[in-house]
Coordinates of all heavy atoms in Angstrom, one line a residue:
D2 N 125.8 60.3 62.3 CA 126.2 61.7 62.2 C 127.2 62.0 61.2 O 127.2 63.1 60.5 CB 126.7 62.2 63.6 CG 125.7 62.6 64.6 OD1 124.5 62.6 64.1 OD2 126.0 62.8 65.7
K13 N 126.3 72.3 51.3 CA 126.9 73.6 51.4 C 127.7 74.0 50.1 O 127.6 75.0 49.5 CB 127.7 73.7 52.7 CG 128.5 75.0 52.9 CD 129.3 75.0 54.1 CE 130.6 74.2 53.9 NZ 131.5 74.3 55.0
V17 N 126.8 76.9 47.6 CA 127.8 78.1 47.3 C 128.0 78.3 45.8 O 128.1 79.4 45.4 CB 129.2 77.8 48.1 CG1 130.3 78.6 47.5 CG2 129.0 77.9 49.5
Q27 N 111.1 79.0 45.0 CA 110.4 78.1 45.9 C 111.4 77.1 46.5 O 111.4 77.0 47.8 CB 109.3 77.4 45.3 CG 108.4 76.6 46.3 CD 107.2 76.0 45.6 OE1 107.1 76.0 44.5 NE2 106.4 75.3 46.4
V35 N 114.4 75.4 56.0 CA 114.8 74.2 56.6 C 116.1 74.4 57.4 O 116.1 74.0 58.6 CB 115.0 73.0 55.7 CG1 115.9 71.8 56.2 CG2 113.7 72.5 55.0
Y40 N 118.5 74.2 63.0 CA 119.8 74.5 63.8 C 119.5 74.5 65.1 O 120.3 74.1 66.0 CB 120.5 75.7 63.3 CG 120.0 77.1 63.9 CD1 120.5 77.7 65.0 CD2 119.1 77.7 63.1 CE1 120.1 78.8 65.4 CE2 118.5 78.9 63.6 CZ 119.1 79.5 64.7 OH 118.6 80.6 65.2
N42 N 117.5 72.6 66.9 CA 117.2 71.3 67.4 C 118.3 70.3 67.2 O 118.3 69.1 67.6 CB 115.9 70.7 66.7 CG 114.8 71.6 67.0 OD1 114.5 72.1 68.1 ND2 113.8 71.7 66.1
S49 N 126.0 71.3 63.9 CA 125.6 72.7 64.1 C 126.5 73.7 63.4 O 126.1 74.7 62.8 CB 125.5 72.9 65.7 OG 124.5 72.2 66.2
P65 N 121.2 91.1 51.1 CA 119.9 91.5 51.8 C 118.6 91.4 50.9 O 117.5 91.5 51.3 CB 120.1 93.0 52.1 CG 121.0 93.5 51.0 CD 121.9 92.3 50.8
A70 N 114.6 88.0 56.2 CA 114.1 87.5 57.2 C 115.2 86.9 58.1 O 115.0 86.5 59.3 CB 113.0 86.3 57.1
L71 N 116.3 86.7 57.6 CA 117.5 86.0 58.2 C 117.8 86.6 59.5 O 117.8 86.0 60.6 CB 118.7 86.1 57.3 CG 120.0 85.6 58.0 CD1 119.9 84.1 58.5 CD2 121.2 85.8 57.1
F72 N 118.0 87.9 59.6 CA 118.4 88.5 60.8 C 117.2 88.8 61.8 O 117.4 88.9 63.0 CB 119.2 90.0 60.6 CG 120.5 89.7 60.0 CD1 120.8 89.8 58.7 CD2 121.6 89.3 60.8 CE1 122.1 89.5 58.2 CE2 122.7 89.0 60.3 CZ 123.0 89.2 59.1
L79 N 117.9 85.3 69.6 CA 119.0 85.8 70.5 C 118.3 86.5 71.7 O 118.9 86.7 72.8 CB 119.9 86.8 69.9 CG 120.9 86.1 69.1 CD1 121.7 87.2 68.2 CD2 122.0 85.5 70.0
R89 N 123.4 78.9 70.0 CA 123.3 78.5 68.5 C 123.1 79.7 67.6 O 123.7 79.8 66.6 CB 122.1 77.5 68.3 CG 122.2 76.1 69.0 CD 123.2 75.2 68.4 NE 123.1 73.9 69.0 CZ 123.9 73.1 69.0 NH1 125.1 73.3 68.4 NH2 123.8 71.9 69.6
S90 N 122.2 80.6 68.0 CA 122.0 81.7 67.2 C 123.2 82.7 67.2 O 123.5 83.2 66.1 CB 120.8 82.6 67.7 OG 119.6 81.7 67.7
A91 N 123.9 82.7 68.3 CA 125.2 83.5 68.3 C 126.2 82.9 67.5 O 127.0 83.6 66.7 CB 125.6 83.6 69.8
D96 N 129.1 83.6 62.3 CA 129.5 83.1 61.0 C 128.9 84.0 59.9 O 129.7 84.4 58.9 CB 129.2 81.7 60.9 CG 130.1 80.7 61.5 OD1 131.1 81.1 62.1 OD2 129.7 79.5 61.7
S103 N 132.8 90.6 54.8 CA 133.9 90.6 53.9 C 133.5 90.9 52.4 O 134.3 91.0 51.5 CB 134.4 89.1 53.7 OG 133.5 88.2 53.3
M104 N 132.2 91.2 52.2 CA 131.7 91.6 50.9 C 132.1 93.0 50.6 O 132.0 93.9 51.4 CB 130.2 91.4 50.8 CG 129.7 90.1 50.9 SD 128.0 89.8 50.5 CE 127.2 90.6 51.9
M106 N 130.9 94.9 47.9 CA 130.0 95.6 47.1 C 129.3 96.7 47.6 O 128.8 96.7 48.6 CB 128.9 94.5 46.5 CG 129.5 93.4 45.9 SD 128.4 92.4 44.9 CE 129.3 91.2 44.2
V124 N 123.4 93.2 70.9 CA 124.7 92.7 71.4 C 125.1 93.3 72.7 O 125.6 92.5 73.6 CB 125.7 92.9 70.3 CG1 127.1 92.3 70.9 CG2 125.4 92.0 69.1
K126 N 123.1 94.4 75.2 CA 122.2 93.8 76.1 C 122.6 92.4 76.4 O 122.8 92.0 77.6 CB 120.8 93.8 75.5 CG 119.7 93.2 76.5 CD 118.4 93.1 75.8 CE 117.5 92.0 76.4 NZ 116.3 91.9 75.7
L127 N 123.0 91.6 75.4 CA 123.6 90.2 75.7 C 124.8 90.2 76.5 O 125.0 89.4 77.4 CB 123.9 89.5 74.4 CG 122.5 89.1 73.5 CD1 123.0 88.5 72.2 CD2 121.7 88.0 74.4
K130 N 124.1 91.2 80.1 CA 123.5 90.0 80.8 C 124.6 88.9 81.1 O 124.6 88.4 82.1 CB 122.4 89.3 79.8 CG 121.7 88.3 80.6 CD 120.8 87.5 79.7 CE 119.6 88.3 79.1 NZ 118.7 87.6 78.4
A135 N 128.4 86.5 85.0 CA 129.8 86.1 85.4 C 130.2 86.7 86.7 O 131.1 86.2 87.5 CB 130.7 86.4 84.2

Side-chain angles (χ1 to χ4, degrees):
D2 280 351
K13 181 178 74 172
V17 167
Q27 184 178 4
V35 167
Y40 80 92
N42 300 325
S49 294
L71 172 63
F72 288 102
L79 282 167
R89 295 282 189 204
S90 299
D96 285 349
S103 68
M104 296 188 292
M106 300 197 174
V124 171
K126 180 180 157 190
L127 290 173
K130 187 187 293 187

